[in-house]
Amino acid sequence: MTATLIDGKAIAARMRDDTKAEAGRLTALGWAPRLVSISVGDVAAAELYVRNQQKSAEANGVAFEARNYPDSISLEQLQGVLAGLNADPRVNGIIIQRPLPAHIPVKALQKAVHPMKDVEGMHPSSIGNIVYNDLTLGPCTAVAAVEILKTLPLTMEGLDVCVIGHSEIVGKPIAFLMMGLGATVTVCHHMTRQVAVHSRAADAVFVAVGKPGLVRGEMLKPGAALIDIGINRVVDPDGNAKTVGDADFASCKDVAGWITPVPGGVGPVTVAILMKNAVLATRLQMEHYRTAFAAAV
């Protein structure tokens, strides 16, 4: 058996058509979607993400502004910046770029972003809403991974799912999202004694740990779907750097029924979800302002 490659770029392209159309509709109504990116310090990795996000935003009809602050800025100053953006009706979404300097805790900034402008889905209220199966502005990577699985010819109700990794922004949200779809979910983590026992029993496996080669072919049920969310930079024996996921692709592709490549799998869909969230946030804010400031009849 050779797994079918899941084309994340194609899925993202289909989503982009709908997002761009909605962005155009909102722009015609005077609510042009606009994102503001916040980065701190001179971080090359963040600059790459910012460039990619700006390119994607432009392709989706979303205005994009990148703001970079010196690493000497304090947490209180940044919280003041975010308060200003929260109050500005011309700003519809805020992205906090990582990494941040050690004196700036990312969770403090995520909490400072207004939930209605939390296009990354990282605010505690956005994460918590998933428990109630409310995906208004869900965490982008988790939502993207589940959306990819939904494109496959699998019945979600009763599906046996194994989630490897229990982070607050990926693993745990995926588990709740899949339960909301009617799946039976097992979550494995660093204290799980025999991960392979659980993964071999699953019809679909999500892995998001940050450890290259963690999932091998013998850990999968033949024909299972493997959604690899890991992004790792490794150096091959010839000294060439490359990006790989958390799965050993060579062995897994011979067992799985479907598999996401890295890169080109979950990544493009994650960015597509970010842009979809930006447009949705704009519409929600438009409706909020219309209701809050409607003239009394």
Side-chain angles (χ1 to χ4, degrees):
M1 177 183 296
T2 300
T4 298
L5 285 182
I6 301 172
D7 189 348
K9 293 181 180 179
I11 296 172
R14 292 195 294 270
M15 295 178 63
R16 182 170 61 243
D17 292 339
D18 292 338
T19 300
K20 188 173 183 179
E22 178 66 3
R25 187 185 73 84
L26 290 168
T27 298
L29 293 171
W31 281 82
R34 180 181 171 216
L35 285 175
V36 173
S37 161
I38 302 293
S39 61
V40 181
D42 183 17
V43 183
E47 290 172 1
L48 176 61
Y49 285 123
V50 171
R51 286 197 300 271
N52 289 339
Q53 288 169 357
Q54 182 164 9
K55 182 179 178 180
S56 182
E58 292 170 353
N60 281 272
V62 176
F64 189 94
E65 178 188 352
R67 298 189 183 185
N68 176 262
Y69 294 91
D71 55 14
S72 59
I73 193 170
S74 68
L75 171 61
E76 292 74 19
Q77 288 172 316
L78 271 177
Q79 288 172 325
V81 168
L82 294 176
L85 295 175
N86 287 337
D88 189 344
R90 299 167 299 176
V91 175
N92 308 114
I94 303 168
I95 304 172
I96 306 297
Q97 304 293 345
R98 289 164 289 278
L100 292 166
H103 68 284
I104 305 290
V106 65
K107 289 184 178 180
L109 293 189
Q110 289 166 348
K111 290 179 181 178
V113 175
H114 192 286
M116 203 175 287
K117 298 190 178 187
D118 176 34
V119 294
E120 293 185 282
M122 300 292 194
H123 191 280
S125 68
S126 301
I127 299 291
N129 282 340
I130 294 178
V131 177
Y132 299 98
N133 207 29
D134 178 357
L135 285 184
T136 304
L137 293 174
C140 297
T141 302
V143 172
V146 173
E147 286 298 314
I148 287 173
L149 186 69
K150 288 163 64 177
T151 67
L152 304 182
L154 298 171
T155 301
M156 298 296 110
E157 294 88 350
L159 196 73
D160 286 319
V161 173
C162 178
V163 181
I164 303 175
H166 67 157
S167 71
E168 289 82 0
I169 60 175
V170 181
K172 290 176 182 174
I174 286 174
F176 280 108
L177 291 171
M178 290 307 305
M179 284 191 286
L181 293 172
T184 300
V185 183
T186 300
V187 179
C188 299
H189 43 77
H190 66 284
M191 289 181 282
T192 302
R193 291 191 178 96
Q194 293 179 302
V195 174
V197 170
H198 302 288
S199 61
R200 273 199 297 265
D203 303 308
V205 175
F206 295 89
V207 57
V209 176
K211 185 176 180 180
L214 175 66
V215 176
R216 302 176 302 281
E218 63 267 22
M219 297 172 64
L220 300 175
K221 174 197 288 189
L226 175 58
I227 311 298
D228 188 352
I229 306 165
I231 299 177
N232 309 285
R233 293 290 288 175
V234 299
V235 178
D236 64 22
D238 297 325
N240 300 313
K242 62 178 181 178
T243 301
V244 300
D246 287 347
D248 175 46
F249 189 84
S251 64
C252 289
K253 69 178 178 61
D254 293 331
V255 180
W258 299 270
I259 187 171
T260 54
V262 178
V266 177
V269 184
T270 297
V271 178
I273 293 293
L274 175 66
M275 296 306 149
K276 180 180 179 181
N277 280 356
V279 173
L280 175 57
T282 303
R283 179 170 64 80
L284 293 174
Q285 290 162 50
M286 178 185 72
E287 293 171 353
H288 169 75
Y289 275 95
R290 284 181 172 180
T291 301
F293 299 102
V297 178

